[in-house]
Amino acid sequence: MAEELIALAPQFSQRMGGGVPVTVCAEPMGPGEEGFSGAKLLRLRCTYADGGEATCIAKHTTWQERAVMQTFTGQGRGFTPAAWDTQETSQEDAWLLLEDVSPSQPLPTDTLAWKAQVAQALAALHGDNLSRPGTPALLPPAQEGHWQRVTTALSLDHLQRQCQQDGAFSRRYGGLLPQLYKRGERFVREMLALSKEEATLTVTHGDLQTICGDHVRRFRDRPMVIDWGFTQRAPFYIDLVDFFTRQESLLYWEALRRQGSALSQASFLERWQAASVYPGFIYLYPALMQYLRGDDSRLEKLINLLLAG
């Protein structure tokens, strides 16, 4: 595996304008860099004849992430790491070589100004890949099975199993399960309805997290969105509802309007509201793990989000 990547690294180095390295070595990722997806990751260190060094990241991932990252690279916005799909014609999992965008710079103290930059970056990435008549889509649209998996296998089913295994947990949360599952069914219907609107259907990240997360970094003073392993062609709202508040999301709407979108503010906010419970499902399992470590704050927050939505 490492030998294959070491052989490919010089090609990527040249694509990035770094010339041909004299040596390439594979290194493990640093503490906390591998995330929770289980994807295989390595750092490749290239050394050049003048003694200079550069690194890139090798990620073994799906054809969807590889296709999306290479497309973003070709579009040239610079809000995602430059990428090279080493197996463009294969739909099997394969290696993706990526620009190394670590470490992340500290975020600016003016968080609203930073969020405005992120809104512009997301509007550009989404806008470049919106569904358009006569244009082949990069990814097929997320189907009902995807949204059902989000609301059950990835989230509420974990809660149900914990209720079955833990009497105290069941007494606290078991009575809420029927209501939560009904909310999941409604969310599936709402996402399928939104997916019929081509004006909002695009390549989405699906796991953007809050401003405190690691998937939107500051690199060379600009937003850099990393780790597209959960990418789907879906309504762009799912990338907004955890990173921005309802009011802050209008920064994104304004950026879309500057790109020529005719979506009214009222329509935008109505659809944002429909998607607003998405974090409650997608992050319910990590919140449950946090609960089992003794902190119930995140689980309580997400369950309340689902019940109020």
Side-chain angles (χ1 to χ4, degrees), residues 5-309:
L5 293 171
I6 287 171
L8 292 169
Q11 298 178 57
F12 185 62
S13 176
Q14 290 179 80
R15 285 170 175 256
M16 295 289 292
V20 180
V22 293
T23 63
V24 180
C25 63
E27 304 173 354
M29 302 297 288
E33 287 190 306
E34 293 192 332
F36 300 97
S37 70
K40 298 175 186 174
L41 290 166
L42 286 172
R43 177 169 279 112
L44 303 178
R45 185 172 300 277
C46 300
T47 304
Y48 300 94
D50 63 0
E53 289 188 340
T55 58
C56 64
I57 304 299
K59 182 177 184 179
H60 200 257
T61 188
T62 63
W63 72 266
Q64 291 96 332
E65 182 174 13
R66 300 196 322 271
V68 164
M69 294 306 295
Q70 184 141 304
T71 296
F72 286 152
T73 300
Q75 290 168 340
R77 294 287 189 172
F79 296 122
T80 57
W84 176 38
D85 180 1
T86 65
Q87 296 289 335
E88 290 183 45
T89 60
S90 173
Q91 292 202 352
E92 301 295 323
D93 288 4
W95 287 104
L96 177 70
L97 295 187
L98 295 157
E99 176 186 11
D100 191 349
V101 295
S102 61
S104 177
Q105 294 171 269
L107 299 186
T109 54
D110 187 342
T111 57
L112 190 60
W114 172 244
K115 286 190 173 187
Q117 289 186 55
V118 175
Q120 292 173 30
L122 290 174
L125 294 172
H126 289 158
D128 285 346
N129 296 283
L130 281 170
S131 295
R132 292 180 175 87
T135 302
L138 179 59
L139 300 176
Q143 301 296 313
E144 183 175 2
H146 168 74
W147 301 114
Q148 288 176 339
R149 179 170 173 258
V150 165
T151 57
T152 57
L154 296 182
S155 55
L156 293 177
D157 289 357
H158 291 289
L159 207 66
Q160 184 180 58
R161 278 192 292 273
Q162 188 64 31
C163 286
Q164 293 167 348
Q165 297 167 5
D166 183 336
F169 188 86
S170 179
R171 287 188 292 274
R172 184 171 179 178
Y173 296 111
L176 301 176
L177 284 173
Q179 187 177 349
L180 292 170
Y181 273 104
K182 284 184 180 178
R183 186 63 186 91
E185 292 168 1
R186 177 180 149 200
F187 178 75
V188 171
R189 292 193 300 270
E190 290 169 336
M191 290 302 100
L192 291 174
L194 277 180
S195 295
K196 294 177 182 177
E197 300 180 5
E198 290 194 343
T200 65
L201 199 61
T202 188
V203 171
T204 57
H205 185 283
D207 184 19
L208 209 63
Q209 305 175 355
T210 68
I211 193 173
C212 298
D214 190 46
H215 287 168
V216 180
R217 294 184 173 183
R218 185 178 179 223
F219 185 70
R220 296 173 182 161
D221 299 323
R222 304 179 76 219
M224 181 68 69
V225 187
I226 69 165
D227 194 358
W228 289 73
F230 203 59
T231 188
Q232 296 282 335
R233 184 166 162 240
F236 56 62
Y237 298 97
I238 66 170
D239 281 349
L240 310 180
V241 291
D242 205 29
F243 195 88
F244 304 98
T245 66
R246 177 185 169 91
Q247 185 63 34
E248 290 168 350
S249 72
L250 293 176
L251 296 167
Y252 176 93
W253 174 75
E254 290 165 356
L256 271 188
R257 296 277 289 183
R258 287 193 291 272
Q259 293 183 20
S261 171
L263 188 65
S264 72
Q265 184 180 118
S267 294
F268 174 85
L269 290 174
E270 179 185 354
R271 287 152 179 77
W272 186 95
Q273 191 63 40
S276 64
V277 297
Y278 180 73
F281 293 112
I282 207 71
Y283 299 123
L284 193 64
Y285 178 66
L288 176 59
M289 294 300 97
Q290 188 172 326
Y291 168 91
L292 294 176
R293 294 192 296 269
D295 180 359
D296 66 356
S297 59
R298 191 181 186 193
L299 184 61
E300 283 285 311
K301 179 181 178 180
L302 295 182
I303 287 177
N304 288 333
L305 172 66
L306 293 175
L307 294 174

